[in-house]
Amino acid sequence: MSTSNTAIAERPRVNSPLPFAPRPRPTQPAHVIRDDAEALAVARQLAREFAREAALRDREGFLPIDEIDAYSQSGLWGITVPKAYGGAGVSYATVAEVIEIIAAADSSIAQITQNHLVLVAHIGLDASEEQKRELFGLALQGYRFGNAFSELNSRNVATFETKVLDKGDHVIVHGQKFYTTGALLAHVVPIVAVDEDGKGYLVFADRDAPGLTVINDWSSFGQRTTASGSVKIEQVSVPKSRVVPILAFDTPTAAGAISQIIQAAIDAGIARGTLDDTINFVREKSRPWIDSGKETAAEDPLTISTVGQLAIRLHAAEALLERAGRRIDEALAAPSEETVNAATLTTAESKVLTTEIALEASNRLFELAGTRATLATHGLDRHWRNARVHTLHDPVRWKYFHIGNYHLNGVNPPRHPWN
């Protein structure tokens, strides 16, 4: 991508109070990935491309429009579609590794995928057979599902004021959302809404539906280019065939663990990208401390020891992440209180370790690399900002509680998207 002054001036940026025009639907079908090995190979290839301008996008606030188009057309957004519907149905251990690879290159791009993959899982768990054929088909064609879930002023994250009214062959949805990662660049925006009895639904509205407005007003200091801003839903009409009841948390399913493992994988990717940049900077740009007696910073024994500690903790987090993916596979294959609980707890453990290593690695970067690492030209501060913001998604202090409560008192963790 060109970085000339003209090109820079024309590229859309984050944090605008204006509505953002819908992106065109795919003009040709996305590539269909066939197995786990291909998914990982494609992720590595894309990550190399995404890494090139990651610091520039963060510094200038450029929306990753071309990158997201390439990402969804690569087939990686369809890898969890079951084999029976034409997808690869890859292991969730592979899903976690794919997301970590992308997040190590650009964690904002990885986060934009999160809700799409969660929605694909909910289609599998909650949708009718006819809806599965349609919506899985869209995912395989390269359509991106966004997110209109959370509300800014509700009592808590699980309280929804957005309403859905049954009008026979269609429904009308009205409300307002925030933290809508993925909606800005989506082709379809699934909206969480409740009926007059408080029952929840996913309403799959087209991004260009009349009355649906997505605002590019995300202003966080981290994960800047996720465009996780506002969605206004003003009497939006959606066919009844696109309304899916939310049932996955009424019985034991892996829905919550699936949501959480993707979040944990993003944090692991932030840690991986941070550690890689730390090692490269120390090798190429840092000076040895005067008391070390060494010619290069990479020979400093205290620096070597700290890098070793970070690598061990990252590898431990990655090992738990893979284990969590296998537990999710088992819960999907044979859902029960036992298998779902194992998936939930193991995923919570991985979320604890990935949060801790993302924060520690991004903080230690500057301690090890030295003052010159803070210069704006390097853009290394994005790692700390991204880690600090993304790890706030759901509080790790409650992971410790639920894990401890299970082991001490035999209490299973609650079932919801944040656990």
Side-chain angles (χ1 to χ4, degrees):
M1 184 180 292
S2 171
T3 56
S4 67
N5 289 338
T6 300
I8 287 176
E10 293 174 350
R11 291 168 70 175
R13 287 178 162 87
V14 298
N15 194 16
S16 164
L18 302 175
F20 194 87
R23 295 291 299 155
R25 293 177 173 86
T27 57
Q28 59 184 12
H31 172 67
V32 177
I33 288 172
R34 293 303 176 189
D35 54 34
D36 295 62
E38 185 184 3
L40 293 169
V42 171
R44 293 185 186 105
Q45 177 184 349
L46 281 177
R48 287 191 290 271
E49 299 171 10
F50 295 164
R52 292 192 185 105
E53 289 192 345
L56 174 67
R57 286 191 296 272
D58 173 82
R59 182 173 65 249
E60 299 293 334
F62 292 142
L63 292 170
I65 293 175
D66 292 341
E67 289 79 10
I68 291 296
D69 285 344
Y71 191 9
S72 56
Q73 285 296 112
S74 75
L76 286 175
W77 291 50
I79 57 174
T80 57
V81 172
K83 291 180 181 180
Y85 297 88
V90 304
S91 165
Y92 270 92
T94 298
V95 173
E97 189 172 354
V98 164
I99 295 298
E100 180 184 357
I101 290 167
I102 299 297
D106 188 323
S107 55
S108 287
I109 290 176
Q111 189 180 344
I112 292 173
T113 336
Q114 197 266 342
N115 290 298
H116 173 94
L117 293 174
V118 170
L119 286 157
V120 170
H122 272 279
I123 292 165
L125 294 168
D126 294 341
S128 69
E129 190 60 32
E130 185 177 351
Q131 289 172 325
K132 288 177 185 178
R133 287 195 295 269
E134 178 190 1
L135 297 172
F136 283 151
L138 290 178
L140 290 175
Q141 290 172 48
Y143 280 68
R144 298 188 293 263
F145 301 145
N147 151 32
F149 303 164
S150 295
E151 300 180 6
L152 186 60
N153 298 314
S154 58
R155 183 173 58 86
N156 59 48
V157 293
T159 302
F160 302 105
E161 297 177 1
T162 299
K163 303 299 183 184
V164 57
L165 299 176
D166 191 333
K167 295 294 183 178
D169 63 347
H170 69 283
V171 298
I172 298 294
V173 191
H174 187 82
Q176 188 160 353
K177 302 289 187 174
F178 198 68
Y179 306 115
T180 59
T181 307
L184 198 77
L185 304 180
H187 304 112
V188 177
V189 180
I191 305 162
V192 172
V194 294
D195 64 14
E196 58 185 10
D197 297 321
K199 182 175 176 55
Y201 295 87
L202 277 168
V203 183
F204 285 73
D206 287 335
R207 172 66 173 81
D208 57 0
L212 182 66
T213 306
V214 184
I215 310 296
N216 179 23
D217 58 354
W218 179 242
S219 62
S220 175
F221 66 70
Q223 294 295 99
R224 295 187 64 209
T225 58
T226 59
S228 304
S230 304
V231 172
K232 293 181 179 179
I233 307 148
E234 299 171 303
Q235 306 298 326
V236 175
S237 176
V238 180
K240 187 75 73 65
S241 62
R242 288 282 192 90
V243 180
V244 176
I246 300 174
L247 305 171
F249 302 107
D250 297 342
T251 58
T253 73
I258 289 170
S259 178
Q260 287 297 292
I261 197 173
I262 300 169
Q263 304 289 7
I266 294 168
D267 295 333
I270 293 172
R272 167 60 65 188
T274 301
L275 184 56
D276 288 347
D277 278 355
T278 301
I279 290 169
N280 290 335
F281 201 96
V282 169
R283 283 175 177 167
E284 299 170 8
K285 296 182 175 68
S286 298
R287 294 183 296 182
W289 184 243
I290 53 175
D291 296 331
S292 71
K294 302 298 182 180
E295 290 298 317
T296 68
E299 297 173 294
D300 184 322
L302 299 182
T303 298
I304 291 171
S305 176
T306 303
V307 168
Q309 293 174 35
L310 294 172
I312 291 168
R313 291 169 187 170
L314 175 58
H315 293 161
E318 290 172 332
L320 261 183
L321 195 63
E322 181 182 2
R323 184 182 179 192
R326 302 297 176 196
R327 293 289 184 271
I328 291 172
D329 293 341
E330 293 166 4
L332 287 170
S336 67
E337 285 286 353
E338 183 178 5
T339 59
V340 168
N341 194 54
T344 301
L345 289 168
T346 308
T347 304
E349 291 172 359
S350 74
K351 184 67 166 63
V352 168
L353 291 196
T354 58
T355 291
E356 290 178 350
I357 188 57
L359 293 172
E360 183 177 9
S362 58
N363 188 43
R364 289 281 196 168
L365 184 160
F366 302 103
E367 176 187 333
L368 299 177
T371 306
R372 65 183 62 190
T374 67
L375 297 178
T377 187
H378 303 306
L380 296 176
D381 60 305
R382 74 186 189 279
H383 293 304
W384 184 89
R385 290 185 284 103
N386 291 339
R388 183 60 283 175
V389 168
H390 189 264
T391 55
L392 297 175
H393 187 276
D394 36 74
V396 162
R397 62 187 181 274
W398 277 97
K399 307 296 187 193
Y400 285 114
F401 172 83
H402 291 311
I403 293 166
N405 205 23
Y406 171 77
H407 287 289
L408 190 62
N409 299 312
V411 178
N412 290 347
R415 290 194 294 263
H416 55 63
W418 303 275
N419 199 45

